Amino acid sequence: MELDFQKTGGVVPAIIQDRRTGEVLMLGFMNAEALAQTQRNGEVVFFSRSRNKLWKKGETSGHVLKVLEMRVDCDADTLLVQVDPVGPGVCHEGYGSCFFRQLDPEGRVRIIAERTFAPEKVYAKEKSQ
Amino acid sequence: MELDFQKTGGVVPAIIQDRRTGEVLMLGFMNAEALAQTQRNGEVVFFSRSRNKLWKKGETSGHVLKVLEMRVDCDADTLLVQVDPVGPGVCHEGYGSCFFRQLDPEGRVRIIAERTFAPEKVYAKEKSQ
């Protein structure tokens, strides 16, 4: 099938969900080549919009995301990738999930998770997005 | 806190997750006003990029999404909205989740869910995205 890469400037959002726990870990973007590499190798590759290049998740940290199942939505413009995450967490700030902050109705944020690793020991250059 | 609406042209992706089941239901986009209305009223409002206007989920179908918790990611450019979905499903094609198709490594899709309602009886104009 053809995905609709045009709606978001050549990429589609890819939601990353831990298949075992159901936790949503992060959101990245894939262009056609990132999707092709992800499908071919079974590990998640994103396209970094800020750096304008492919970015294999875990290339620095070793925290790769092993693909267990991919889903596509009704409009074919968003992916849901169910993964087995390797390592203690996906977030460059040291958390299991990038969604470690709660946003209340007044716009205040509160950290609601514990760090699962020390990011300064893991990351040289990789950033989560 | 300030969300980064600039990275995706004035909107941020908002992942909608059923808080009870953990199922990812859909992805929409919010601009600042959609987010403000969602926070104020406790029901999800998106910004439709194709129609260039605010769009309250459930305005036609009655299948509103009641907000239980919002999370913001490390880069402040993506929202995770945990909801209690009212009604039998969120997808304009009649499914509980918009992610009702599996995408295999060869690019073939397969429907893996059962319809939970008859969309032609529910939708006059509303589309899921």
Side-chain angles (χ1 to χ4, degrees), chain A residues 37-61:
Chain A
Q37 289 194 19
T38 299
Q39 289 178 305
R40 194 159 59 235
N41 302 321
E43 295 183 345
V44 170
V45 174
F46 294 116
F47 181 77
S48 167
R49 297 177 300 166
S50 55
R51 289 176 285 156
N52 198 39
K53 63 172 196 168
L54 293 176
W55 161 53
K56 165 125 187 229
K57 178 63 186 164
E59 64 189 0
T60 302
S61 63

Side-chain angles (χ1 to χ4, degrees), chain A residues 32-127:
Chain A
E33 179 58 23
L35 174 60
Q37 289 194 19
T38 299
Q39 289 178 305
R40 194 159 59 235
N41 302 321
E43 295 183 345
V44 170
V45 174
F46 294 116
F47 181 77
S48 167
R49 297 177 300 166
S50 55
R51 289 176 285 156
N52 198 39
K53 63 172 196 168
L54 293 176
W55 161 53
K56 165 125 187 229
K57 178 63 186 164
E59 64 189 0
T60 302
S61 63
H63 303 166
V64 299
L65 300 171
K66 292 191 175 292
V67 177
L68 299 178
E69 187 174 330
M70 297 189 80
R71 305 259 182 102
V72 58
D73 77 339
C74 48
D75 293 328
D77 61 8
T78 304
L79 293 167
L80 172 62
V81 188
Q82 295 183 327
V83 304
D84 174 14
V86 173
V90 306
C91 182
H92 73 284
E93 298 209 16
Y95 294 91
S97 163
C98 291
F99 296 98
F100 59 86
R101 292 180 298 179
Q102 196 179 67
L103 179 66
D104 78 10
E106 285 72 44
R108 290 181 299 250
V109 294
R110 192 165 65 93
I111 292 177
I112 51 156
E114 299 285 334
R115 278 214 165 95
T116 54
F117 64 100
E120 66 278 10
K121 294 188 183 163
V122 169
Y123 290 101
K125 288 165 291 185
E126 190 185 60
K127 296 264 287 175

Side-chain angles (χ1 to χ4, degrees), chain B residues 59-80:
Chain B
E59 63 190 0
T60 303
S61 63
H63 302 166
V64 299
L65 300 170
K66 293 191 173 294
V67 177
L68 298 178
E69 187 174 331
M70 297 189 80
R71 305 258 182 102
V72 58
D73 77 340
C74 48
D75 293 329
D77 61 9
T78 304
L79 294 167
L80 172 62

